[in-house]
Amino acid sequence: MDNLFLGSPLALQVNALALQVDALTLQVDALTLQADALTLQADALTLQANALALQADALALQVKMWGSFRRLLCTPCQ
C-alpha cells in the first residue's frame, strides 16, 4: 500500500514542492553569502579610507614641520 502512495500524483506534488523549497533555501543561502561578501568589501573600503586619511594627516604634519624648519633656516642669525 505504501508503494502505491509513493507513485501517486499527490506524492509527486509533495516531492516537487519539497524540491522547490530546497531550491529557494539554496537561493537564500546564496544571497546571504553575497550580502556577507558585500559587507566585507565595504569594511575593506572603510579601512582603505581610514588609511588614506592617516596618510593625509601624516603628510600635513610633514608639511607643517618642513615649514617650521624652513623658517628656522631662513631666520637671520643675530
Side-chain angles (χ1 to χ4, degrees):
M1 189 104 168
D2 287 337
N3 291 336
L4 291 176
F5 178 74
L6 289 177
S8 73
L10 180 59
L12 293 175
Q13 287 177 342
V14 169
N15 287 337
L17 287 175
L19 289 174
Q20 287 177 347
V21 169
D22 290 345
L24 288 174
T25 301
L26 290 175
Q27 287 177 346
V28 168
D29 290 346
L31 289 173
T32 301
L33 289 174
Q34 287 176 348
D36 291 346
L38 288 174
T39 300
L40 289 174
Q41 287 176 346
D43 291 346
L45 288 174
T46 300
L47 289 174
Q48 288 176 345
N50 290 341
L52 287 174
L54 288 173
Q55 288 176 344
D57 290 345
L59 185 59
L61 284 173
Q62 287 177 344
V63 168
K64 186 176 180 180
M65 288 174 55
W66 174 248
S68 298
F69 181 68
R70 199 185 72 188
R71 278 194 298 277
L72 285 174
L73 290 178
C74 295
T75 302
C77 295
Q78 295 186 13

